[in-house]
Amino acid sequence: MTRAFALLAATLFAVTAYAVPDVAADAGTVFLLRADASRGALVDTTGRFEPVVNGGAVIADALWGACLELGEGEKNGITIRDEGRIRFEDGMTLDAWVFFEEALPVKGASLALKPGSFSWDLLKGKLNTAWMVFPSEEIFTTTPPQFKYYPVGGDTINGLMNVPLQKWTRLTMAYDEALGVVTTSIDGMTDRRRFRYRGPQRLQSDGRSPLTLLQGFKQVRIGALQLRSGRPHLSPPTLEVFANALPYQDKVMLTFDHIDPDLPLPIEVAIIWEKPSGSAETLRTFALAAHARQDVLLDAPTWKDSLHTIQVNATAGGRAVFSKNFRVANVKPAGRVMVNADHTLSRDGKKFFPLLMYHAMPEHFAQMAELGINTVLNDFCLNRANPQDRAGYARDLVAVLDGAAQHHLGVIVSANAAFGKLFTIAEAKAHPALLAWYGDDEPWGDLTRLHESYNTIKMLAPDPPVLIVQNNYSRLQDTAPAADIIATDPYPVPNVSLRAVVDATQAARRAVAGNKPVWTVLPQYGAKVPTREELRCMAWLAIASGANGLGFFTWDERIRDPQTGALKGWFTPEHPEQVEDLRVVLQELRSLEPVLLAPSADKQPTMNPANPALHALIKTAEGHRWLLLANDSRRAEETTLQLPDIENGESSALTGGSAPLIIRGGNAPVSMSPLGVAVYQLIP
């Protein structure tokens, strides 16, 4: 009896484990490709398309009855001719039921490619979103390598899990337009889910371009390929919450975002605050009456210098839709360096606009100060001089801090729990030259490690702010909770529109709802050396977009030759023309520091006609108002500014080479030269 039951159970398990997937066309199906044994061909069961197969044959299969097998050919693949029949209204889902018999190809193969729409691949055995195409803007160019549109590239998401071999596997690639979210999954398990920093946009579809599937793959069986348009609905509707400590304001900000429009309203929210002792209480309850993003500011508790837990629960339509705990380091900074309410930095009570140079060592600090730099970061150089030598690194770090103090420079010191670099805190936290901690540089992967590191740093040394630079703008919301200052490093030269500087800076400001300082790091090294006009324009574009500080990468990017020990690579002192470019741009910025430190005015100008290449910002302080203008285009651009609260006036530019600003009836015609910049003090 026992043996019979075991055999029966084994048989039932085998049937269940290898049951034929329930794959059927529905109203949203664009095509469903299946092998037809009677015809010996791959067919679209909807009858809309005739797939073209190279290097494949229909074979019998124990699971599917029949499947398509791609053999050893070099040009294997499946082609679907679009001819204007494929659309992606509200989103799309592409499912592939496949059986890989051997290791996946390293390069030269494409899982799904539609020029003008998307590309997914399996490089390194992962399911990767290579790129996706969304609406872009035409850009004027002056040389062939420059891209004629913006944005370029975009939405690259490397996979996490390894794609299984020697088993039937379902690979899912999806885009949800309503949420602007890209999702990949393997056998129904979510692999990557990323919200686009540009938000919901229509995935583009060029009807002239074909869709190719499994191009260049060998020894793979295909059970079914299904493309659906519309919202993917891969998981129940939910929302996201981000918790940002704002210790310099004695606040905590909770951001409720990416709220699925399928969630019934109202959405009931309960916030529970748990003290380090474990005792807890309901801090607040409220209802979200719309699906739009909402930022909620909470007063930080009075129990300081300890780790607290915030639990956020949400229900909609009588069911739980979100529940998550957030750990918050509840500290009250009171050091020499402070982040002010207007997001400026002050040192010993004096505000300054940070101008940061990467990788400058003490022998160049006098030149840094003479150029106009006031902040340095040199973790790269310290690591280069002391590989795997913590004691040597600490010794040289103290020398850096001492040298910086002599030249009135602030130092950003690397501190990161995940990399075991917390020993720097003991060496630097009491030094007068310390300005901030560098929490990480362009982090990727699971970013919760950054939040843990931030909490650790704030518990050990709560006074200096933590800075993190993130170059993947879709991860800015994930990164911001781990930093007091969030920075981006758009490097558009030589071939991308300088509009990338505006895009990145504004994305960072959105990520923190304008409640944390945002810095922008600009390139000047190697293959990314801007002209003086480009460097100046990028700096003012960042400032006009709301940047509270600027970085310049880099002074010294040399690496040591393992054979000869010689340093090779970019070293700015070897390029006098770039040194002079820095000098000119930095001196202009330093001369206008009161403008840089002034907060943005409540009322901002509008443009008629609208011109995406022109960027304007009014700043105001102590009764003064300044207008900042920058042109990201490589040609002259014009518009008419409509200025608030000014009927008539005339102003000369505080920056050289710009025509006077003449205001009549609240309107000011503006003509900006290519990559032009102008700063005016508005005088009614």
Side-chain angles (χ1 to χ4, degrees):
M1 182 67 109
T2 302
R3 176 173 174 164
F5 179 83
L7 288 172
L8 176 60
T11 303
L12 289 174
F13 175 78
V15 171
T16 302
Y18 294 95
V20 178
D22 183 15
V23 183
D26 57 18
T29 299
V30 178
F31 63 70
L32 174 57
L33 309 185
R34 295 285 299 269
D36 187 324
S38 63
R39 295 170 55 181
L42 187 71
V43 301
D44 175 17
T45 63
T46 72
R48 298 189 185 100
F49 298 90
E50 294 185 7
V52 176
V53 178
N54 288 325
V58 172
I59 64 171
D61 182 80
L63 177 64
W64 294 86
C67 69
L68 178 71
E69 183 178 53
L70 300 178
E72 291 292 339
E74 294 295 330
K75 297 182 178 180
N76 291 344
I78 302 164
T79 301
I80 301 291
R81 294 188 179 90
D82 182 348
E83 298 173 348
R85 292 173 290 175
I86 297 178
R87 293 288 184 270
F88 300 120
E89 285 84 359
D90 300 323
M92 53 78 64
T93 308
L94 178 60
D95 279 301
W97 287 265
V98 288
F99 188 112
F100 296 105
E101 300 175 11
E102 59 181 34
L104 299 170
V106 176
K107 60 181 180 179
S110 173
L111 176 62
L113 170 65
K114 191 176 195 305
S117 294
F118 53 69
S119 174
W120 276 281
D121 63 46
L122 297 180
L123 289 179
K124 298 182 180 180
K126 309 292 182 66
L127 177 53
N128 310 300
T129 307
W131 46 260
M132 304 183 79
V133 179
F134 295 93
S136 60
E137 303 149 353
E138 185 177 353
I139 297 296
F140 177 80
T141 60
T142 55
T143 61
Q146 294 167 1
F147 288 98
K148 298 182 181 296
Y149 58 94
Y150 184 81
V152 300
D155 301 289
T156 298
I157 308 170
N158 293 321
L160 179 64
M161 295 186 287
N162 293 95
V163 175
L165 303 178
Q166 294 292 321
K167 70 179 288 290
W168 281 105
T169 301
R170 179 185 180 183
L171 303 179
T172 303
M173 300 139 274
Y175 172 66
D176 187 339
E177 181 180 324
L179 292 172
V181 63
V182 182
T183 304
T184 54
S185 66
I186 299 176
D187 287 331
M189 293 178 283
T190 299
D191 187 49
R192 291 294 197 192
R193 190 168 187 256
R194 293 282 171 79
F195 295 95
R196 303 183 62 248
Y197 77 97
R198 283 185 154 236
Q201 289 182 301
R202 176 64 49 85
L203 179 64
Q204 301 297 281
S205 181
D206 184 351
R208 298 167 298 178
S209 69
L211 169 60
T212 56
L213 301 162
L214 293 150
Q215 201 76 23
F217 281 83
K218 301 178 181 180
Q219 297 302 112
V220 56
R221 285 177 265 165
I222 299 106
L225 295 164
Q226 184 177 32
L227 176 65
R228 301 179 71 257
S229 64
R231 297 197 66 197
H233 297 298
L234 299 179
S235 58
T238 184
L239 54 90
E240 297 292 329
V241 180
F242 305 90
N244 281 269
L246 304 173
Y248 299 89
Q249 303 176 43
D250 208 20
K251 302 281 186 182
V252 174
M253 180 178 69
L254 296 179
T255 296
F256 295 79
D257 202 1
H258 313 299
I259 303 171
D260 196 307
D262 285 348
L263 286 176
L265 299 174
I267 300 169
E268 304 292 340
V269 176
I271 301 172
I272 298 94
W273 199 297
E274 182 179 301
K275 298 177 182 179
S277 62
S279 62
E281 62 181 56
T282 301
L283 185 66
R284 188 181 298 184
T285 60
F286 59 91
L288 298 174
H291 295 103
R293 166 177 168 163
Q294 183 169 331
D295 300 296
V296 178
L297 285 176
L298 307 172
D299 290 329
T302 56
W303 190 344
K304 301 297 182 183
D305 301 321
S306 54
L307 284 174
H308 292 242
T309 301
I310 299 176
Q311 183 180 99
V312 180
N313 296 321
T315 63
R319 72 173 186 87
V321 296
F322 183 87
S323 182
K324 187 174 181 179
N325 288 344
F326 300 92
R327 297 280 279 171
V328 176
N330 185 37
V331 299
K332 183 61 176 176
R336 301 175 69 238
V337 178
M338 292 296 291
V339 176
N340 302 304
D342 58 5
H343 310 315
T344 59
L345 252 63
S346 60
R347 189 175 175 193
D348 295 324
K350 183 180 179 180
K351 291 184 178 181
F352 71 101
F353 189 87
L355 296 168
L356 162 68
M357 178 60 72
Y358 277 75
H359 309 344
M361 290 296 278
E363 58 266 30
H364 296 284
F365 284 175
Q367 188 174 13
M368 292 295 101
E370 186 267 333
L371 288 173
I373 291 295
N374 55 27
T375 307
V376 293
L377 187 157
N378 48 28
D379 176 63
F380 170 82
C381 296
L382 293 173
N383 282 324
R384 183 182 64 194
N386 303 281
Q388 307 301 318
D389 181 2
R390 181 174 292 187
Y393 185 109
R395 179 190 64 246
D396 287 354
L397 173 59
V398 173
V400 165
L401 290 162
D402 290 343
Q406 294 177 17
H407 297 283
H408 308 289
L409 301 174
V411 180
I412 300 179
V413 175
S414 180
N416 186 300
F419 287 100
K421 192 171 279 186
L422 295 177
F423 68 92
T424 56
I425 294 177
E427 301 291 343
K429 69 177 183 179
H431 201 287
L434 173 65
L435 185 68
W437 305 115
Y438 200 57
D440 211 328
D441 186 80
E442 300 183 350
W444 55 291
D446 179 10
L447 299 187
T448 56
R449 72 183 188 279
L450 301 181
H451 308 169
E452 297 162 359
S453 179
Y454 173 84
N455 286 337
T456 302
I457 293 167
K458 298 307 278 190
M459 294 299 293
L460 292 172
D463 296 338
V466 176
L467 165 69
I468 291 182
V469 178
Q470 177 59 273
N471 67 334
N472 185 336
Y473 311 142
S474 68
R475 308 301 307 276
L476 282 167
Q477 279 191 314
D478 297 325
T479 305
D484 299 306
I485 303 168
I486 188 71
T488 61
D489 51 350
Y491 292 172
V493 292
N495 56 358
V496 176
S497 169
L498 300 194
R499 197 167 303 172
V501 174
V502 176
D503 203 11
T505 307
Q506 292 179 342
R509 286 181 54 80
R510 286 194 303 271
V512 297
N515 280 309
K516 290 183 179 181
V518 167
W519 293 7
T520 308
V521 182
L522 307 174
Q524 194 196 47
Y525 72 102
K528 294 186 175 293
V529 177
T531 64
R532 182 178 300 178
E533 291 73 21
E534 289 172 330
L535 184 64
R536 178 176 183 246
C537 185
M538 286 191 293
W540 284 104
L541 284 170
I543 296 164
S545 303
N548 307 108
L550 295 178
F552 299 88
F553 189 93
T554 173
W555 189 256
D556 184 355
E557 186 71 355
R558 295 172 297 173
I559 59 175
R560 195 172 299 281
D561 187 299
Q563 303 299 324
T564 65
L567 293 174
K568 297 181 179 180
W570 176 264
F571 188 44
T572 302
E574 295 176 350
H575 305 273
E577 64 278 17
Q578 269 74 61
V579 174
E580 193 60 24
D581 290 347
L582 276 171
R583 185 190 314 278
V584 171
V585 171
L586 288 168
Q587 287 181 355
E588 179 179 72
L589 294 171
R590 291 294 293 270
S591 70
L592 294 170
E593 190 168 42
V595 179
L596 308 185
L597 292 173
S600 300
D602 293 334
K603 296 181 180 180
Q604 292 295 329
T606 57
M607 297 184 189
N608 186 19
N611 189 329
L614 297 180
H615 309 274
L617 179 70
I618 293 177
K619 285 174 161 271
T620 181
E622 299 178 349
H624 299 288
R625 281 192 293 177
W626 297 274
L627 171 67
L628 283 57
L629 292 172
N631 176 16
D632 70 36
S633 176
R634 298 180 184 277
R635 68 181 176 190
E637 298 285 349
E638 297 181 348
T639 190
T640 296
L641 291 179
Q642 297 171 325
L643 298 168
D645 301 332
I646 299 180
E647 279 296 312
N648 300 293
E650 186 170 333
S651 177
S652 297
L654 302 178
T655 49
S658 300
L661 184 75
I662 300 174
I663 309 168
R664 295 292 182 265
N667 296 318
V670 170
S671 179
M672 299 290 292
S673 61
L675 304 182
V677 169
V679 178
Y680 298 93
Q681 185 165 355
L682 295 176
I683 304 174

